[in-house]
Amino acid sequence: SWTRMRSPSTPSTRLGRSWTRCSVRLETGISKKKPGQRTSCEDCSRMLEIILLHHQNHQKQTMRTRKKDASLSEEDKEMLGRVHHLMASNLSNTEEGSRSKPFLAKSLQLLLPFKERRCEELIDVYNMMGINNCNRQEFKESKEVLTKASTLYEEFKEKRNKTEGAKEEKDKSSSSSSSSSSIEDLHTLTLFYMAQVEGHLDNANLSARYLALTLNRQLLASSSSSSSSSSS
């Protein structure tokens, strides 16, 4: 169909037609070119050289990136993962979610080994990935990553409950309690996004259930904040 859009006399059409003949010659290794004679294979060879050169450059760049990541310390990897998370968050907040995809993938790769102390960032990454998938009409993929966010929250909640009565938990710093509150807010968003995804998947009962959970958590958070402000 690409060749039918142009006149048979145009160079692009001739090149398109010669590509088939050239591919056969390249596969069989047969060349009937006479000395000093220019064949259509030369054009195709130049195209192949450009493709191969681009592929080699991509491979070199990938290897350099892998070597660079391998040479980083654990602390540097964690910091770099947080930077990628912030970049993705900034792009998502400015409605440039499509550009945030590589930053989300890199942040997830770097922060997963530190999920016990980077639970907040990882849940936020999963939420943003779920939003991006939903915007691309990829509802099943969106449900998968949002389920991972919910699973990570449950792991965090289970660990918090196990150590709730310990002395070190009573002496939490303000930053730790703030982080816990942020994780609760992120999980509320996860439930809200899940409600929308289930609605797109025609699961009305599940969508209503997630909406009810979202509203209930918002009500509890509002009551808790109002009671704490009145006590102070």
Side-chain angles (χ1 to χ4, degrees):
S1 59
W2 178 70
T3 56
R4 292 195 191 102
M5 295 176 61
R6 295 173 172 83
S7 169
S9 61
T10 57
S12 57
T13 301
R14 293 196 299 272
L15 182 57
R17 290 176 175 174
S18 66
W19 176 259
T20 305
R21 297 193 298 269
C22 180
S23 60
V24 174
R25 294 174 187 174
L26 288 173
E27 291 175 0
T28 58
I30 299 173
S31 176
K32 297 182 180 180
K33 179 183 175 183
K34 297 179 181 179
Q37 180 183 0
R38 183 181 182 277
T39 66
S40 58
C41 292
E42 294 180 357
D43 295 326
C44 298
S45 297
R46 283 197 294 271
M47 292 174 64
L48 285 173
E49 287 176 1
I50 294 172
I51 293 172
L52 290 174
L53 182 61
H54 176 75
H55 177 66
Q56 290 171 358
N57 290 336
H58 176 71
Q59 283 186 322
K60 291 179 181 179
Q61 182 65 31
T62 303
M63 292 300 297
R64 282 197 295 267
T65 303
R66 289 178 180 175
K67 290 179 181 179
K68 183 178 179 181
D69 290 346
S71 64
L72 292 174
S73 65
E74 295 299 306
E75 184 179 357
D76 290 337
K77 288 181 181 179
E78 183 178 0
M79 183 64 68
L80 186 59
R82 296 178 64 190
V83 171
H84 278 84
H85 165 252
L86 292 174
M87 286 292 296
S89 180
N90 180 63
L91 290 170
S92 296
N93 292 335
T94 55
E95 299 183 359
E96 295 184 86
S98 59
R99 292 180 57 197
S100 68
K101 185 176 180 180
F103 294 103
L104 289 171
K106 193 66 177 178
S107 177
L108 184 64
Q109 175 190 347
L110 292 170
L111 291 180
L112 268 179
F114 314 100
K115 67 177 183 178
E116 290 189 359
R117 61 175 180 264
R118 290 301 165 196
C119 183
E120 179 181 349
E121 287 87 348
L122 286 170
I123 292 177
D124 195 26
V125 167
Y126 282 131
N127 282 349
M128 287 187 285
M129 292 175 73
I131 293 173
N132 290 344
N133 288 331
C134 191
N135 289 336
R136 293 193 297 268
Q137 311 295 313
E138 299 171 353
F139 303 121
K140 291 184 179 180
E141 291 80 358
S142 179
K143 182 177 180 178
E144 288 179 4
V145 294
L146 291 174
T147 301
K148 291 180 181 179
S150 183
T151 302
L152 191 59
Y153 167 77
E154 293 298 333
E155 293 176 0
F156 162 79
K157 185 178 177 181
E158 183 180 358
K159 182 180 178 181
R160 182 184 60 185
N161 291 339
K162 285 182 179 179
T163 58
E164 197 171 21
K167 182 179 179 180
E168 57 268 23
E169 289 296 315
K170 294 180 181 179
D171 298 330
K172 278 183 177 180
S173 63
S174 59
S175 61
S176 299
S177 60
S178 175
S179 176
S180 178
S181 176
S182 299
I183 291 176
E184 294 293 336
D185 293 339
L186 287 171
H187 183 59
T188 302
L189 287 175
T190 302
L191 296 174
F192 177 63
Y193 300 147
M194 284 291 287
Q196 298 180 65
V197 170
E198 293 293 356
H200 286 295
L201 293 174
D202 296 327
N203 298 327
N205 292 334
L206 279 175
S207 179
R209 178 172 173 269
Y210 282 120
L211 280 175
L213 290 172
T214 301
L215 292 173
N216 184 53
R217 289 176 62 86
Q218 288 179 326
L219 180 61
L220 290 176
S222 177
S223 301
S224 176
S225 61
S226 61
S227 62
S228 61
S229 61
S230 60
S231 62
S232 60

